[in-house]
Amino acid sequence: MPFTLIHGLISYLGLRYFSKDKNVLRLAFLGGLAPDIDGYPLLLGDFDLYRKIHHEWLHPPIYGLLFGIFFSAIFWLYCKKKKIKFNYFAGVFVFFLGFLMHSLVDLITSDWAFNFIYPFGNLYLGDILSLKNYFLMNALDLLIVFLTLILLIYFYTKDKNVLFELFKS
């Protein structure tokens, strides 16, 4: 279960070459971050509440679609106001894919299950690799972080904008 920012970068890098639209790519990044919004109890120091709600509230893919619709609408309104071209449906799709990539990485690197088809039924998925050894789980997390950083460096050598295009207007 990599750090939240790494989830955003994985989603961004994974979807970067499907679109050149900065706003769509921002939605991919946000989609990768969104499932961990339910981790806010950690900021409050309440680890028990965190264990109760994290992976329960926001990891099911249906939320990726709903949040994608919402955030794409916000981006569409912003772009309309600024007279910037923006493909709303591409935004929804890319946000959803970024969200799904986050959930899939968590399925691989965590023993923490979540209801994949909520609210339509109960299909709890988790611990796909059956890694009960926390040393191996942490090693896999570090490998994912390392590979993400390697990809960032690789893409940076090919395109100097890769690190900054999310934040430039």
Side-chain angles (χ1 to χ4, degrees):
M1 198 164 30
F3 180 65
T4 301
L5 184 60
I6 296 298
H7 279 298
L9 289 173
I10 289 169
S11 298
Y12 161 72
L13 290 172
L15 298 167
R16 183 170 187 262
Y17 287 97
F18 293 104
S19 176
K20 298 294 182 197
D21 183 333
K22 289 181 207 171
N23 289 310
V24 169
L25 292 173
R26 288 175 180 141
L27 284 168
F29 181 76
L30 288 175
L33 297 177
D36 280 347
I37 292 170
D38 64 2
Y40 72 88
L42 281 180
L43 299 174
L44 305 173
D46 192 344
F47 190 73
D48 291 334
L49 179 60
Y50 172 74
R51 288 295 292 178
K52 286 180 190 171
I53 67 170
H54 189 60
H55 282 206
E56 287 294 321
W57 284 9
L58 297 179
H59 277 68
I62 187 72
Y63 293 117
L65 181 60
L66 296 174
F67 285 149
I69 290 167
F70 175 75
F71 284 112
S72 290
I74 290 173
F75 272 69
W76 180 81
L77 290 170
Y78 170 80
C79 290
K80 183 178 176 185
K81 181 179 178 183
K82 297 284 186 178
K83 295 182 175 41
I84 300 169
K85 184 179 169 188
F86 177 70
N87 185 333
Y88 173 79
F89 295 104
V92 171
F93 185 66
V94 166
F95 186 97
F96 176 74
L97 288 178
F99 193 98
L100 194 59
M101 288 173 78
H102 177 120
S103 296
L104 292 175
V105 168
D106 276 1
L107 281 175
I108 293 169
T109 62
S110 171
D111 65 344
W112 204 341
F114 64 91
N115 188 354
F116 199 75
I117 59 170
Y118 176 85
F120 306 108
N122 289 321
L123 176 62
Y124 278 85
L125 299 176
D127 196 19
I128 284 182
L129 298 179
S130 297
L131 294 176
K132 298 297 182 200
N133 182 323
Y134 288 103
F135 175 78
L136 289 176
M137 291 173 89
N138 289 329
L140 186 58
D141 281 353
L142 288 174
L143 178 64
I144 288 172
V145 169
F146 179 72
L147 290 175
T148 302
L149 293 175
I150 293 294
L151 281 174
L152 273 175
I153 292 167
Y154 171 76
F155 288 137
Y156 181 74
T157 61
K158 295 180 116 346
D159 178 3
K160 301 291 188 225
N161 289 324
V162 71
L163 294 175
F164 307 108
E165 70 187 354
L166 287 171
F167 307 107
K168 288 194 291 187
S169 52

